[in-house]
Amino acid sequence: MTSGEFDLIARLRERLPAGGPRLRVGSGDDAAVTDPAGAAAATTIDALVEGVHFTLPEFPLRAVGRKALAAALSDLAAMGAEPGEAYVALAAPARLGEAELLEIADGLAEVARREHVDVAGGDLTRASELGLCVACVGYERPGTTLVTRAGARPGDVLVVTGELGGAAAGLKLLAGDVQPALDAPTREALLARQLEPRPRIAAGRSLAIAGAGAMIDVSDGLGADAGHLAAASGVTLTIDLERLPLAAGAAAVAGGEGGARELALGGGEDYELLACLPPERLEGAVAEIERAGYRLTAIGEADAGEPGLLRDRDGQRIEPSGFDHMRGSRSGSDSGSGAGSRSDAGSGSP
Amino acid sequence: MTSGEFDLIARLRERLPAGGPRLRVGSGDDAAVTDPAGAAAATTIDALVEGVHFTLPEFPLRAVGRKALAAALSDLAAMGAEPGEAYVALAAPARLGEAELLEIADGLAEVARREHVDVAGGDLTRASELGLCVACVGYERPGTTLVTRAGARPGDVLVVTGELGGAAAGLKLLAGDVQPALDAPTREALLARQLEPRPRIAAGRSLAIAGAGAMIDVSDGLGADAGHLAAASGVTLTIDLERLPLAAGAAAVAGGEGGARELALGGGEDYELLACLPPERLEGAVAEIERAGYRLTAIGEADAGEPGLLRDRDGQRIEPSGFDHMRGSRSGSDSGSGAGSRSDAGSGSP
């Protein structure tokens, strides 16, 4: 690298918050130095690629920055972790000038400040398409335990935060695929679900405190993510599809309640949290979550049936569906039906 | 994501070592859970992009995997850190099938096993060009302190491990730019410097123990990296260009000693370690490094001159040169002269 590149890195770095209590050496050395102070760490990596996770120019560059960090932080939320540091690799095509790269940095900074994350390191390289890779480190909070996908037990109630299907509906609006009759606030709210996803950090904390035994973020669609949780925990999940908390306006976008449900099941990117907890903990969890400003809805329960199986109230198997990042196509039973077909890809967390 | 993608992820994961003493929850959950057991952590992120850091098909895919992890580990070596976990995001074009992706994983696994790294998480996505992003976490070793770039003091001796210029010479051979008269072992050794870079983990440990006050890995070329160290430490570095430990065969590739020196200064990717230490520590450091199986050469010293300045024995300014990842061109005083012009980019560590 040479002076031009290092100058740009310095200007990008200026935009980004750094300097939390755990950070001993921040961006600018071979590696950042952090002091976890005895806490267990939760670490995740997420890549966002142009044409797969977003398209230009439909996505403002600031939204690309926001989304890259929000998607990685959503994984930490799903562990009930306290966000710590983020490390960002930016691969930028030559057509993007410095002003554009700073817009991406501003999007990263917006989320980093709001969620109290230090951007402690990074890498910058040329590429033919825009890509961001974000690694995030979070920490176990005193008095809580990090929550994996594997701790659901038969008899647990299945709960989900917030509303589903909004991000996929927002993508359809963004792509101009549909022209539904929506009032302006509803339309804006759906677009924001796609362009300004919010990692449910406080909700994850509340669910961990409330005793959630298993948790996952809804990044690939409720069907796929419930399937992961069921498989990791070795339980069957029964989901009451009538009780899914659908985002306002999703039905108008998807041509009815059934379409909105498909967006919820297969659309992904809602970044809500799906968790299992013992039924006697439900009331306390709802109160805890409401204190954190979120809605919590019980949508089903776990039993000792076939591990990994999802079924509806009528006993019908629900096929986990989701966008296939590797094939560029949707698969599963509702293939090509409800959900958007272009870039509605959840950020995978293998 | 859908079953095809998850199956592939599972097959990739099988190839990769995981399960070190710090790893509580490995790949397959929203985030990995690690227990640093009170140690400070060093964390770095590095991206490798096709056409910038490597070209296909000149680079075997296994070498791409090796290089991605080795480059990130080299940053940990430069801190004197003990390698811990790696997190790998793989963006793969459709033209690469499963067998090819498994080759990349095998390259990652080869380095991970040799360097005792757990691959604790990852992400897999489609892209139009091959890209790997690796975040690595290392730990402060008991009885040592992580070494930054900032601790060089006037009077310190400047040392470098191993040999320089070999990786850039290997790249020229790989590209077929030159047809020098080289015996087969020398040629193979130069190619290996490019295709099988070795992070100097043990040397970094030895230098930390020996009392190095500042350290950096030579990824962008000795000129650029010495410049970083000088700037971070606020010292001038005088480098004795006659004493640079040049890789055997580099002169034959570069058309003479002068050309080999330019490869050393500007070529990058040698992944040797450059460090400053008090002169009274030099003898002990050489012995310590030799025990670890490396060569250590004193090539200059630090003084209280202009911060960040590099000069040679005659007092002439050495311009830090290196490949500009953002402009796709080389800059600095030796622009276009000695080093390869295509993809000899160091892996930047802003």
Side-chain angles (χ1 to χ4, degrees), chain B residues 154 230-231 233-238 301-311:
Chain B
S233 292
V235 298
T236 287
L237 291 174
T238 299
E301 63 273 326
D303 65 57
E306 183 190 329
L309 180 69
L310 303 183
R311 64 181 166 215

Side-chain angles (χ1 to χ4, degrees), chain A residues 75 240 258 315 331:
Chain A
D75 285 324
D240 192 339
S331 70

Side-chain angles (χ1 to χ4, degrees), chain A residues 1-6 8-9 13 24-25 27-36 38-47 49 52-53 75-76 78-79 87-89 91-92 101 121-129 133-135 137 140 145-150 215-217 220 224 228 320-327 329-332 346-350, chain B residues 1-6 8-9 13 24-25 27-36 38-47 49 52-53 75-76 78-79 87-89 91-92 101 121-129 133-135 137 140 145-150 215-217 220 224 228 320-327 329-332 346-350:
Chain A
M1 296 201 293
T2 54
S3 54
E5 190 175 350
F6 289 115
L8 175 56
I9 289 169
R13 210 187 282 156
R24 271 206 242 155
V25 177
S27 194
D29 216 292
D30 293 287
V33 179
T34 51
D35 186 354
T43 307
T44 182
I45 192 165
D46 255 311
V49 176
V52 180
H53 299 89
D75 285 324
L76 297 188
M79 306 296 289
Y87 302 85
V88 182
L101 299 186
D123 194 14
L124 177 63
T125 183
R126 184 59 76 213
S128 67
E129 64 201 349
C133 178
V134 178
V137 184
E140 196 165 60
T145 303
L146 293 172
V147 185
T148 70
R149 302 174 177 180
M215 190 150 59
I216 189 170
D217 69 319
D220 291 329
H228 299 324
S321 66
F323 188 85
D324 191 326
H325 294 79
M326 297 308 289
R327 287 189 211 158
S329 67
R330 183 161 294 281
S331 70
S347 159
S349 327
Chain B
M1 296 201 291
T2 52
S3 54
E5 190 175 351
F6 289 113
L8 175 56
I9 288 170
R13 210 188 282 157
R24 272 206 240 154
V25 177
S27 194
D29 216 292
D30 292 287
V33 179
T34 51
D35 187 353
T43 307
T44 183
I45 192 165
D46 256 311
V49 176
V52 179
H53 299 89
D75 286 324
L76 297 188
M79 306 295 290
Y87 302 85
V88 181
L101 299 187
D123 194 15
L124 177 63
T125 183
R126 184 60 76 213
S128 66
E129 64 202 347
C133 179
V134 179
V137 183
E140 195 165 60
T145 303
L146 294 172
V147 184
T148 71
R149 303 172 176 181
M215 190 149 59
I216 190 170
D217 69 320
D220 291 330
H228 299 325
S321 67
F323 188 85
D324 191 325
H325 293 80
M326 297 308 288
R327 288 189 210 157
S329 68
R330 181 161 296 279
S331 71
S347 159
S349 326

Side-chain angles (χ1 to χ4, degrees), chain B:
Chain B
M1 296 201 291
T2 52
S3 54
E5 190 175 351
F6 289 113
D7 290 350
L8 175 56
I9 288 170
R11 285 191 291 276
L12 288 168
R13 210 188 282 157
E14 276 168 16
R15 306 282 176 123
L16 299 167
R22 289 195 179 82
L23 201 59
R24 272 206 240 154
V25 177
S27 194
D29 216 292
D30 292 287
V33 179
T34 51
D35 187 353
T43 307
T44 183
I45 192 165
D46 256 311
L48 246 68
V49 176
E50 182 182 349
V52 179
H53 299 89
F54 61 88
T55 50
L56 300 178
E58 291 85 352
F59 263 69
L61 288 167
R62 194 177 170 110
V64 173
R66 278 196 300 247
K67 189 165 187 170
L69 183 52
L73 286 172
S74 182
D75 286 324
L76 297 188
M79 306 295 290
E82 178 191 356
E85 301 84 32
Y87 302 85
V88 181
L90 174 59
R95 68 187 132 88
L96 298 182
E98 177 173 326
E100 279 92 359
L101 299 187
L102 292 177
E103 277 183 59
I104 296 171
D106 285 343
L108 288 163
E110 181 186 326
V111 175
R113 279 183 224 286
R114 193 182 61 225
E115 309 296 348
H116 309 291
V117 175
D118 291 316
V119 179
D123 194 15
L124 177 63
T125 183
R126 184 60 76 213
S128 66
E129 64 202 347
L130 179 61
L132 275 91
C133 179
V134 179
C136 266
V137 183
Y139 299 96
E140 195 165 60
R141 291 186 167 91
T144 69
T145 303
L146 294 172
V147 184
T148 71
R149 303 172 176 181
R153 297 285 167 264
D156 276 358
V157 60
L158 181 69
V159 297
V160 68
T161 62
E163 300 180 332
L164 299 172
L171 186 70
K172 284 176 163 293
L173 293 175
L174 202 61
D177 291 349
V178 289
Q179 303 291 339
L182 287 176
D183 59 41
T186 304
R187 184 186 168 83
E188 288 307 309
L190 291 175
L191 287 170
R193 288 304 299 240
Q194 177 59 229
L195 297 175
E196 301 178 41
R198 298 291 179 109
R200 301 309 191 193
I201 302 289
R205 175 177 182 273
S206 296
L207 282 163
I209 291 171
M215 190 149 59
I216 190 170
D217 69 320
V218 184
S219 57
D220 291 330
L222 182 69
D225 293 313
H228 299 325
L229 191 150
S233 292
V235 298
T236 287
L237 291 174
T238 299
I239 301 179
D240 192 338
L241 298 177
E242 303 293 318
R243 290 163 72 188
L244 296 185
L246 300 173
V253 170
E257 289 286 318
R261 215 165 281 133
E262 288 184 9
L263 293 186
L265 283 168
E269 298 188 301
D270 284 316
Y271 299 113
E272 297 291 354
L273 298 178
L274 184 72
C276 273
L277 70 173
E280 66 273 17
R281 300 291 198 107
L282 178 60
E283 201 178 327
V286 170
E288 181 76 35
I289 288 279
E290 283 180 354
R291 266 198 296 278
Y294 296 100
R295 173 181 173 192
L296 190 73
T297 308
I299 59 168
E301 63 273 326
D303 65 57
E306 183 190 329
L309 180 69
L310 303 183
R311 64 181 166 215
D312 66 17
R313 276 278 167 248
D314 301 325
Q316 295 292 308
R317 177 185 287 263
I318 301 170
E319 290 295 336
S321 67
F323 188 85
D324 191 325
H325 293 80
M326 297 308 288
R327 288 189 210 157
S329 68
R330 181 161 296 279
S331 71
S333 65
D334 60 359
S335 173
S337 54
S341 60
R342 206 166 35 91
S343 69
D344 52 337
S347 159
S349 326

